[in-house]
């Protein structure tokens, strides 16, 4: 059974999107069941995010990373920091997520009804109200040889195989049992890997009553063929490498063959246009690296249980005072 969640830390990962961050924090503050603590992990922003947080959000704790560690390193730091502060669960999201006012309340309500779960996530829609970041339903067979996705459908939840870090509630017990996201992945796929790791032995669920808007610029799936920004294009080598790793590690070599086949079918589209040769090179590099990529798993053991059944930190990060006198924390 998952330990009861009574104290929640909302954690937002941000990088150079201060206007979106402001909207996200305002949406968190408007929750009908507010989190017990709000922490922003700043992935070394250079756009004035630090000043915004200092003056506009004095009650929000800020942990600033010395360098941009990508989404994987950032979410690794998010979960590590939230657990070290002794909360029962982490409500995790990126800075372009706007949870509906009752999003956290719905997650906690269903968590109490379910009792046992590895994570819970919100239903995600784009700014147009259409579904985004659709998680993969658990289609693994039960003893009856049928999938178990509808295990608790009467509660308004669907059992998942994996999900993204867009409004996801992760109990501290889950982090203790399954460790932290793989920071070596750098960007793209770390959330898929982490939730796949969890659902190998503990169920995760999509909560239909909990909704979050994802204000990503591209409302559809990320796609190297459709990407037109040369600065972002390089990230797709990481994405493809991580895709192959996740297939190899969690779904077996037949799935790896499916990934290779998918990109083989895309060759004509990949080669088209002025960025064609670069796309082909990135795909080849990502596929090759994915066959041998071995990110380092990192367990988390920096909290202890208390006599009352809660959590207390064994490690307290160093602190410093901001200009307003509020405590700020840095990872060094």
């Amino acid at each position: 059974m998952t330990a009861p969640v009574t104290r929640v830390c909302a954690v937002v990962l941000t990088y150079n999107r201060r206007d979106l961050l402001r909207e996200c924090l305002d949406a968190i503050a408007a929750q009908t069941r507010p989190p017990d603590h709000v922490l922003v992990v700043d992935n070394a922003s250079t756009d004035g995010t630090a000043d915004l947080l200092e003056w506009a959000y004095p009650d929000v704790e800020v942990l600033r990373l010395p360098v941009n560690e990508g989404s994987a390193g950032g979410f690794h730091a998010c979960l590590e920091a939230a657990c070290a502060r002794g909360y029962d669960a982490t409500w995790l999201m990126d800075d372009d997520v706007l949870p509906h006012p009752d999003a956290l309340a719905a997650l906690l309500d269903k968590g109490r009804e379910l009792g046992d779960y590895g994570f819970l996530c919100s239903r995600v829609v784009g700014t147009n109200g259409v579904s985004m970041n659709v998680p993969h339903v658990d289609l693994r067979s039960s003893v009856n040889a049928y999938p178990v996705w509808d295990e608790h459908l009467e509660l308004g939840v669907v059992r998942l195989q994996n999900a993204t870090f867009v409004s996801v509630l992760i109990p501290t017990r889950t982090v203790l049992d399954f460790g932290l996201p793989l920071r070596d992945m750098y960007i793209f796929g770390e959330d898929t890997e982490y939730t796949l790791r969890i659902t190998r032995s503990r169920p995760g669920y999509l909560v239909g009553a909990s909704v979050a808007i994802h204000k990503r610029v591209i409302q559809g799936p990320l796609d190297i063929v459709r990407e037109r920004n040369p600065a972002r294009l390089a990230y797709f080598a990481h994405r493809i490498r991580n895709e192959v790793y996740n297939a190899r590690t969690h779904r077996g070599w037949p799935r790896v063959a499916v990934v290779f086949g998918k990109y083989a079918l895309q060759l004509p589209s990949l080669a088209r246009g002025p960025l064609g040769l670069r796309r082909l090179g990135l795909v080849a590099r990502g596929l090759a690296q994915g066959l041998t990529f071995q990110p380092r798993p990192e367990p988390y053991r920096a909290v202890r249980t208390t006599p009352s059944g809660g959590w207390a930190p064994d490690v307290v990060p160093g602190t410093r005072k901001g200009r307003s006198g509020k405590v700020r924390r840095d990872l060094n």
Side-chain angles (χ1 to χ4, degrees):
M1 294 289 289
T2 302
V5 172
T6 58
R7 301 178 69 246
V8 179
C9 181
V11 187
V12 181
L13 177 64
T14 190
Y15 175 68
N16 279 353
R17 296 195 292 200
R18 54 174 288 164
D19 292 336
L20 284 172
L21 176 62
R22 180 191 287 272
E23 291 185 70
C24 177
L25 291 175
D26 290 348
I28 290 173
Q31 293 296 299
T32 57
R33 194 293 193 188
D36 300 279
H37 188 65
V38 180
L39 170 67
V40 170
V41 174
D42 181 1
N43 223 338
S45 295
T46 57
D47 67 341
T49 289
D51 290 335
L52 169 70
L53 292 167
E54 187 80 24
W55 297 112
Y57 298 95
D59 295 327
V60 171
E61 184 185 359
V62 179
L63 189 154
R64 180 175 169 84
L65 305 183
V67 295
N68 183 349
E69 299 191 8
S71 59
F75 284 124
H76 180 287
C78 286
L79 275 177
E80 185 176 44
C83 291
R85 282 147 180 79
Y87 292 92
D88 301 317
T90 302
W91 186 30
L92 189 62
M93 68 194 75
D94 232 326
D95 54 10
D96 58 355
V97 176
L98 303 180
H100 283 197
D102 57 353
L104 178 58
L107 292 174
L108 293 174
D109 287 346
K110 294 307 174 184
R112 282 189 290 270
E113 291 183 61
L114 287 164
D116 184 33
Y117 60 92
F119 65 87
L120 302 175
C121 68
S122 300
R123 182 168 65 89
V124 181
V125 298
T127 53
N128 57 3
V130 179
S131 296
M132 280 186 63
N133 299 90
V134 177
H136 288 92
V137 173
D138 194 339
L139 297 179
R140 291 170 293 189
S141 298
S142 68
V143 292
N144 292 340
Y146 288 99
V148 295
W149 68 272
D150 61 344
E151 181 180 51
H152 292 292
L153 195 58
E154 74 282 359
L155 299 179
V157 303
V158 174
R159 184 162 170 167
L160 302 177
Q161 192 162 12
N162 62 275
T164 61
F165 288 159
V166 181
S167 184
V168 58
L169 185 73
I170 304 176
T172 298
R173 177 77 264 167
T174 294
V175 182
L176 287 172
D177 290 343
F178 298 96
L180 296 160
L182 299 176
R183 71 169 87 197
D184 291 345
M185 284 187 150
Y186 188 68
I187 190 170
F188 295 139
E190 72 283 344
D191 44 9
T192 296
E193 191 285 326
Y194 192 62
T195 50
L196 280 171
R197 197 191 320 167
I198 294 166
T199 59
R200 278 179 164 179
S201 55
R202 191 168 300 162
Y205 297 94
L206 170 69
V207 176
S210 178
V211 180
I213 299 170
H214 194 182
K215 291 193 69 174
R216 196 171 68 193
V217 174
I218 299 175
Q219 296 286 280
L222 296 171
D223 184 351
I224 189 172
V225 174
R226 297 196 306 165
E227 182 60 61
R228 296 292 183 266
N229 184 344
R232 286 183 55 83
L233 200 59
Y235 294 141
F236 280 87
H238 297 287
R239 179 180 175 83
I240 295 166
R241 177 200 64 189
N242 296 343
E243 185 180 4
V244 174
Y245 172 81
N246 285 339
R248 192 183 93 221
T249 305
H250 294 287
R251 292 169 175 165
W253 288 103
R255 182 65 183 181
V256 174
V258 171
V259 174
F260 271 73
K262 177 184 74 172
Y263 287 104
L265 291 173
Q266 286 185 316
L267 283 175
S269 299
L270 289 165
R272 192 176 300 131
L275 296 174
L277 287 178
R278 189 175 181 201
R279 286 197 198 95
L280 290 172
L282 291 169
V283 169
R285 186 199 315 168
L287 292 172
Q289 290 179 347
L291 295 174
T292 58
F293 182 49
Q294 289 294 345
R296 296 163 296 168
E298 295 188 47
Y300 187 75
R301 294 292 182 267
V303 297
R304 56 184 170 81
T305 55
T306 64
S308 63
W311 309 98
D314 276 348
V315 178
V316 179
T319 63
R320 64 181 176 85
K321 294 285 185 178
R323 285 176 292 182
S324 65
K326 179 175 176 57
V327 168
R328 302 294 195 196
R329 290 179 169 84
D330 289 317
L331 284 183
N332 296 311

